[in-house]
Amino acid sequence: MRDETAASVPARAAERAEPARVTTSPPREPAAAGYAGPRRAERRAYAALDLGTNNCRLLIAEPAPYGFRVIDAFSRIVRLGEGLGSTDRLSEDAIERTVEALSVCLAKMKSRGVVRAKTIATEACRLAVNGPAFVERVRREVGLTLDVVDRRTEAYLAVTGCAALADRHAESVVIFDIGGGSTEIVWLDGSAALARSADPTVRIRAWDSLPVGVVTLAERYGGADVTRPIFEGMVEEVAGRLTKFALTAGAAASAPHFHLLGTSGTVTTLAAMHLRLPRYDRRRIDGLWMQDREVTQAIDGLLATRLAERAQNPCIGRDRADLVLAGCAILEAIRRAFPSERLRIADRGLREGLLMNMMREDGVWRRGGRPA
């Protein structure tokens, strides 16, 4: 799922530590074993690595009161799933790019003295006929063990990572994560009794994983010159794939205080466009509320741009300029299926869910949320 994965910044600019942050507690959904570095009790550093169809993304964090504090991060657009829709195979160029990025991640884990890590891979590795061979190559050449998680786990981790941003007064929330090769969507019950649970996954009423993401959609329709008819064609395709979930979760949008909650580079980019940021600033994006008309204006604004303009925008960058409108089409299909006056933006997701799971499993917090 995540994908576009979460930070809408040019790839190289993202290869730096992110601002320290604290998130609230996610689920008990089991995640995969990966690199376990040398124990260094005084640091107690944990790492979460999410290898998606488009991005390779790492967070390293230490427990903090009621959450964790990020001490290092890395994000690089590798396009592992490039061309996968037409060949069913990961290309050698994509594999080389990804192996290089994963080597950087391992070096960061070692330098930070990570005591425990979860390293997962998603849609590209699920679909590719040479996915298992790629995973073995990473184990052999890099020294990382990737766990290819199923779609249910991916959806649940997305909820774990960003459910804390749901309006506590909302009796229904639809959470979605637009990835490079798939899009996860979840109907979350907001009733007061369930909302008190420390595990947000108990609030899930329905979920689905759509086999379409920004990379696969852009490759089919073209991402450079996206006219309104081409855009509507993408929206129509996604709407067809969304039909089953929309029928199951149709009642969600009529619940009191209903809203959408999105996590992906698509929604964070739209938020940055809306705020007219000269450069991406996570602190201003994560948790931002956008009104329905503001989302429409941001999408229309991007549709009016050419590829070169998008590439020059520091909140999009050259590596994502041809993907962002495909993401907007996925978002538009979700908006039409679940009309809402409000969309909350999350710059968090799978990695945060993985980190919280590990820390909860290790019992790092005392009662009341304080680190043990």
Side-chain angles (χ1 to χ4, degrees):
M1 191 185 343
R2 266 172 84 99
D3 70 10
E4 273 185 300
T5 304
S8 303
V9 292
R12 301 297 173 185
E15 296 172 15
R16 61 178 184 271
E18 296 178 5
R21 62 197 188 205
V22 173
T23 64
T24 58
S25 119
R28 292 185 292 268
E29 185 69 13
Y35 165 76
R39 280 197 176 275
R40 192 183 296 177
E42 67 274 14
R43 291 301 299 266
R44 307 178 74 184
Y46 290 75
L49 187 153
D50 168 24
L51 176 60
T53 303
N54 194 40
N55 278 11
C56 175
R57 308 179 73 240
L58 170 74
L59 277 186
I60 301 175
E62 296 174 337
Y66 309 102
F68 57 78
R69 182 178 68 87
V70 173
I71 59 175
D72 206 348
F74 175 84
S75 177
R76 182 181 292 179
I77 293 175
V78 294
R79 296 205 185 195
L80 177 61
E82 187 174 56
L84 186 58
S86 58
T87 67
D88 295 329
R89 297 184 65 84
L90 304 176
S91 72
E92 186 60 30
D93 286 347
I95 289 173
E96 291 289 345
R97 292 193 298 266
T98 305
V99 166
E100 180 187 353
L102 290 171
S103 298
V104 175
C105 292
L106 181 60
K108 283 182 172 286
M109 291 183 202
K110 289 181 175 178
S111 69
R112 293 291 184 174
V114 168
V115 298
R116 189 178 174 198
K118 303 280 185 166
T119 53
I120 68 169
T122 56
E123 187 72 358
C125 290
R126 285 194 293 258
L127 294 180
V129 295
N130 59 339
F134 165 72
V135 170
E136 172 57 24
R137 177 172 171 178
V138 169
R139 185 198 65 77
R140 186 178 65 252
E141 294 185 12
V142 181
L144 282 173
T145 300
L146 293 173
D147 182 32
V148 183
V149 297
D150 61 30
R151 288 173 173 170
R152 179 181 182 274
T153 299
E154 189 172 358
Y156 276 45
L157 284 170
V159 169
T160 310
C162 64
L165 291 178
D167 182 350
R168 61 189 180 89
H169 299 296
E171 294 189 15
S172 267
V173 179
V174 167
I175 298 177
F176 59 90
D177 183 354
I178 301 171
S182 66
T183 296
E184 278 60 51
I185 186 164
V186 177
W187 176 17
L188 206 65
D189 192 315
S191 61
L194 289 175
R196 288 194 294 268
S197 172
D199 180 357
T201 63
V202 303
R203 299 164 58 188
I204 294 176
R205 296 191 61 178
W207 70 275
D208 201 359
S209 178
L210 313 181
V212 62
V214 298
V215 174
T216 51
L217 202 60
E219 287 184 351
R220 281 202 293 276
Y221 289 84
D225 298 315
V226 181
T227 63
R228 178 64 72 170
I230 291 174
F231 182 78
E232 289 297 330
M234 290 192 282
V235 174
E236 185 176 349
E237 177 182 332
V238 178
R241 297 180 183 276
L242 190 58
T243 300
K244 180 181 177 182
F245 180 80
L247 289 172
T248 301
S254 60
H257 307 293
F258 167 76
H259 71 88
L260 295 172
L261 198 171
T263 171
S264 70
T266 295
V267 296
T268 56
T269 294
L270 289 174
M273 298 297 98
H274 167 62
L275 295 176
R276 302 181 185 277
L277 297 182
R279 62 189 304 175
Y280 190 81
D281 184 349
R282 181 192 181 276
R283 293 167 296 182
R284 296 187 62 185
I285 298 297
D286 188 49
L288 178 74
W289 287 101
M290 291 182 68
Q291 297 300 307
D292 185 60
R293 59 178 174 78
E294 294 170 339
V295 178
T296 298
Q297 289 168 357
I299 292 175
D300 288 345
L302 278 173
L303 270 169
T305 63
R306 301 187 67 83
L307 179 67
E309 295 176 76
R310 298 194 294 274
Q312 291 170 6
N313 188 306
C315 295
I316 301 175
R318 174 178 51 82
D319 291 322
R320 295 187 55 255
D322 62 335
L323 303 179
V324 66
L325 285 170
C328 288
I330 297 171
L331 169 59
E332 183 62 22
I334 294 170
R335 293 174 67 213
R336 293 179 188 180
F338 298 96
S340 173
E341 285 301 311
R342 301 180 298 159
L343 167 64
R344 195 159 207 193
I345 310 298
D347 187 348
R348 57 177 80 184
L350 269 64
R351 296 174 302 166
E352 286 80 359
L354 290 167
L355 286 169
M356 295 298 287
N357 282 347
M358 285 186 283
M359 293 178 189
R360 288 180 61 189
E361 289 166 3
D362 288 355
V364 300
W365 294 290
R366 297 190 185 101
R367 291 190 63 181
R370 294 286 174 179

